[in-house]
Amino acid sequence: MSPIRMAKIESGLRNVIEFNEAFNRHDVAGMMKLMSEDCLFENTSPAPDGTAYQGQEAVTRFWQEFFQ
């Protein structure tokens, strides 16, 4: 594997780990700094189809309410 490809993989893994750590701390700001402005979060609730949240503002509100 080329060094450039390995660096991209490592960078992606670091982002996932950082997001997971922020999630476990209930640190919404820490989670959102890793998401793009046009992020999309698809919640599995309510069944059967769940709810989609589009954009940082909507996703931030969802997580703030979720962690309350």
Side-chain angles (χ1 to χ4, degrees):
M1 183 174 305
S2 75
I4 292 172
R5 183 175 170 95
M6 182 58 81
K8 288 180 180 181
I9 292 170
E10 289 173 350
S11 175
L13 287 172
R14 279 192 298 274
N15 285 341
V16 170
I17 290 167
E18 187 176 345
F19 184 91
N20 191 46
E21 289 172 346
F23 178 88
N24 288 333
R25 290 190 310 271
H26 300 179
D27 176 6
V28 175
M31 293 164 53
M32 296 311 297
K33 78 175 187 170
L34 298 165
M35 297 184 136
S36 64
E37 285 292 324
D38 64 346
C39 60
L40 173 66
F41 174 73
E42 295 182 0
N43 191 11
T44 57
S45 181
D49 298 323
T51 304
Y53 300 89
Q54 176 74 45
Q56 275 200 352
E57 187 176 319
V59 175
T60 298
R61 275 195 314 269
F62 169 80
W63 285 117
Q64 287 170 335
E65 292 173 11
F66 180 83
F67 287 131
Q68 285 183 353

